[in-house]
Amino acid sequence: MLNGKKILLGISGGIAAFKTPELARKLIKAGAEVRVIATQNALKIVSPITLATLTHNNVYSEIFDPETNYSPEHISNAEWGDLLLVAPATANIIGKFANGIADDALSTTFLAFDKPVFIAPAMNNKMYNHPIVQRNIRQLQAIDIQIIEPTEGLLACGTEGKGRMEEPENIVAFLEEIV
C-alpha cells in the first residue's frame, strides 16, 4: 500500500495521458495523496477539472500563473512530495530531464526534486527505440531514476511495438513493491 505517501504525478503530452485519471484514482485508492503537475500538451488530452476533482488538489501547469500571485510552486511541490511519478513520459520530457532543460512546470519541478523519481515512457516504438531516446533513458537511470518499462502492443498510431505506457494498476503495483 501507498498509505500516507505524497505523490507528485507528472503528466506529459502523449496520448497515454488519457490513462492518468484512472492512475490518479488508483494511487489514491492505495492510500496516497496526489498532486498533478502537467505540461500544456498534456492538458490538451486530459482535463484539469477531471484531475483536480479526482485528486482534490489544483493542477499545477504554469510556472508563472497570471491569475495568482507568484509563488515558486515547483519548489514547494518538490518539498511536499515523497516521490515523483511521470506517466506518461514522452520523448520530449525525457530529453528535457536528461539534459537539464527546465522550461515548464514539470521540468522545473523535476530539477528541484531530490527524492525518488519514477518514469513511465510512452511513445511510438520507433521513437522509443531511437538511439537518442535510449541514451537519454540511460542517462536518467545512471542518476537512479527508475524506469517503468513500456509494454508491447497496438500503439495509438496504429502500429505494433514497444511503447505503450504500462497500465495504471501495474504502475501502482510497481510503486507498492518498490516503496
Side-chain angles (χ1 to χ4, degrees):
M1 297 300 283
L2 297 171
N3 282 334
K5 291 296 180 191
K6 296 175 181 175
I7 299 177
L8 292 174
L9 175 57
I11 306 171
S12 62
I15 192 64
F18 84 91
K19 296 179 180 182
T20 57
E22 183 67 13
L23 177 57
R25 192 184 70 73
K26 288 183 182 303
L27 290 167
I28 292 166
K29 187 175 180 183
E33 186 176 345
V34 177
R35 288 187 186 174
V36 172
I37 303 167
T39 65
Q40 290 300 308
N41 285 336
L43 297 179
K44 292 177 182 175
I45 298 166
V46 63
S47 162
I49 294 169
T50 300
L51 296 167
T53 300
L54 290 172
T55 64
H56 305 285
N57 284 304
N58 290 330
V59 174
Y60 176 50
S61 63
E62 295 282 343
I63 298 173
F64 303 107
D65 186 345
E67 295 180 15
T68 62
N69 293 329
Y70 169 75
S71 70
E73 288 184 75
H74 59 288
I75 303 300
S76 61
N77 279 326
E79 290 171 353
W80 175 85
D82 294 318
L83 68 92
L84 171 62
L85 167 64
V86 181
T90 59
N92 183 53
I93 204 70
I94 290 169
K96 286 181 181 184
F97 290 174
N99 292 286
I101 297 169
D103 64 354
D104 60 27
L106 182 52
S107 58
T108 55
T109 301
F110 170 79
L111 286 182
F113 201 78
D114 61 356
K115 295 168 232 167
V117 177
F118 300 84
I119 294 177
M123 63 198 78
N124 171 273
N125 60 310
K126 289 180 182 178
M127 293 172 70
Y128 181 73
N129 290 318
H130 194 282
I132 292 173
V133 172
Q134 289 301 307
R135 180 200 66 203
N136 288 340
I137 289 172
R138 285 190 304 275
Q139 281 180 229
L140 293 174
Q141 288 173 314
I143 58 169
D144 294 324
I145 306 299
Q146 294 282 319
I147 305 299
I148 302 170
E149 287 290 323
T151 62
E152 292 197 28
L154 184 62
L155 304 172
C157 60
T159 62
E160 296 236 4
K162 186 173 183 177
R164 290 175 54 90
M165 185 178 88
E166 183 59 80
E167 293 302 320
E169 59 271 9
N170 295 335
I171 292 173
V172 172
F174 181 88
L175 292 178
E176 288 177 327
E177 187 176 310
I178 299 293
V179 176

